[in-house]
Amino acid sequence: MNGTVNILGIETSCDETAAAVVVDGRVVRSSVVASQVKLHEKYGGVVPEIASRAHLEKIYPVINEAIEQAQISADDIDAVAVACQPGLTVALIVGVTAAKTLSLFWEKPLIAIDHLHAHLQSAVMAEENVQLPAVALIVSGGHTSLYDYRSPLEPKLLGSTIDDAAGEAFDKVATILKLPYPGGPSIEKTAQKGRPDAIEFPRSLLGKGSLDFSFSGIKTAVLYYCRGQDMKGRDRVAAMTQKQIADIAASFQTAVVDVLVEKTRRAAELIGAKTVLLGGGVAANSCLRKSLQQMCDSARPARKLLIAPKQYCTDNAVMVASLAYHKFKAELFTDLMLEPCAHSR
Ligand code: KG4
Ligand code: ZN
């Protein structure tokens, strides 16, 4: 394996326990993801304590499987990388502790990775030559952020949500509409049978130059639409036809997508972006993909849109190991004092 760099990536920031081995930041030797969706389903959202316990049970089996599938031995691994921020601290700590232990035991360098920067990496990973500067939109269950991207190591935050994340809004609206968890895919599926212009839900743009997002207003608007302004009316959802529910889902999805695309367009214009990057769980949404593509095509000159492959939109460890390669080359290692952090530092 001369000249190649094998990195073991570990990801436990929310509700997936994941490990992967990636060669030279691009070649995926293995990717294992243990999803906890079933455990959190009945609560309609991720319960931190349940997530933490499940990570603890799965972390070593998942890491072992990733190493086995990669058909390499611990000796062949050049570094251990772990997502240490942002996320649920009780969840992150499981991955961070496992990574520190392996780094110490195997005597391999430890690399600390920002989970959101890793999401961003999943959009550029397969591309040989990304035209810079790029604007990156990361939309997940916990985050909605725009970055000025000029290098994998130093994306600069341009704006983020001041309340709910886009994925969180999808999840909460799905709960209001009594659709299965996780909400994003359910809303997308239901919306296919509805009219996107059926209901005019608010699009919060937060002032002319703002690159921040706010999705709590639209969530409340859906709630009022279903329950009445004073919330005293009976929950109408149970009595609604499938068509009515589909119209709400389609109108909500379009309103969220409109805001995401408009803010990305603003950011792209501001920095003169040649490329737009899209990553995070909500990047799996086809309505968002299509609208962003139209925005990029209609710009003069047109912008190139790079979207993370679907299997790497939601949380995974390939993106962690891939980004770690750049830190490895720059010798940006961390030590055993590494602590998880709920926010990006
Ligand atoms: O990136 P991710 O796996 O976890 C976080 O880091 O938060 O994103 C999960 C989020 C959930 O809120 C889920 O509902 C949303 O991504 N999501 C979608 C779709 N697939 C997943 N949202 C809209 N449309 C989808 N197709
Ligand atoms: Zn994520």
Side-chain angles (χ1 to χ4, degrees), residues 11 13-14 115-116 119 138 140-143 280-281 313-316 319:
E11 158 64 49
S13 66
C14 190
H115 174 82
L116 295 177
H119 268 302
I138 299 303
S140 71
H143 306 276
C313 278
T314 44
D315 290 349
N316 64 88
M319 63 187 192

Side-chain angles (χ1 to χ4, degrees), residues 60-304:
Y60 286 112
V62 164
I63 290 173
N64 281 335
E65 203 181 322
I67 293 173
E68 248 169 56
Q69 275 184 20
Q71 296 182 315
I72 60 173
S73 72
D75 278 352
D76 298 324
I77 289 172
D78 296 291
V80 180
V82 63
C84 65
Q85 65 180 45
L88 303 168
T89 315
V90 289
L92 287 163
I93 198 160
V94 178
V96 169
T97 307
K100 288 203 281 195
T101 310
L102 293 176
S103 155
L104 181 69
F105 190 63
W106 290 341
E107 296 177 357
K108 306 285 177 180
L110 180 63
I111 300 175
I113 294 293
D114 181 294
H115 174 82
L116 295 177
H117 297 178
H119 268 302
L120 220 149
Q121 177 68 12
S122 58
V124 292
M125 221 182 104
E127 192 71 16
E128 288 279 335
N129 199 358
V130 182
Q131 294 290 306
L132 299 172
V135 147
L137 173 67
I138 299 303
V139 262
S140 71
H143 306 276
T144 306
S145 306
L146 274 169
Y147 291 89
D148 177 343
Y149 179 92
R150 289 161 204 260
S151 95
L153 297 181
E154 283 171 42
K156 190 175 140 236
L157 188 66
L158 295 171
S160 56
T161 182
I162 58 168
D163 42 53
D164 291 350
E168 195 179 353
F170 271 91
D171 293 338
K172 286 178 177 166
V173 166
T175 305
I176 298 171
L177 298 180
K178 304 190 194 321
L179 297 172
Y181 176 82
S186 304
I187 297 252
E188 177 171 2
K189 195 161 162 240
T190 309
Q192 282 164 5
K193 293 171 222 123
R195 274 180 33 225
D197 59 350
I199 306 146
E200 185 67 22
F201 287 127
R203 284 136 171 90
S204 172
L205 292 172
L206 300 172
K208 240 177 149 207
S210 171
L211 294 175
D212 286 329
F213 299 89
S214 167
F215 293 110
S216 70
I218 185 167
K219 175 196 66 190
T220 311
V222 175
L223 191 64
Y224 284 171
Y225 185 86
C226 296
R227 297 267 183 97
Q229 282 285 354
D230 55 6
M231 294 287 289
K232 283 186 183 147
R234 116 193 113 77
D235 184 352
R236 298 196 297 129
V237 175
M240 280 180 191
T241 62
Q242 283 193 352
K243 176 77 177 95
Q244 283 172 310
I245 293 179
D247 280 347
I248 300 174
S251 302
F252 161 78
Q253 176 176 264
T254 302
V256 171
V257 166
D258 279 356
V259 172
L260 292 171
V261 173
E262 170 58 17
K263 296 277 172 159
T264 310
R265 191 189 58 73
R266 282 182 188 179
E269 270 172 21
L270 181 76
I271 68 157
K274 293 183 177 146
T275 306
V276 174
L277 312 177
L278 175 65
V282 185
N285 186 279
S286 354
C287 176
L288 174 61
R289 290 171 169 239
K290 220 165 100 187
S291 293
L292 264 187
Q293 188 65 63
Q294 281 165 355
M295 182 275 277
C296 288
D297 291 345
S298 64
R300 288 294 167 264
R303 304 182 177 107
K304 178 150 188 185

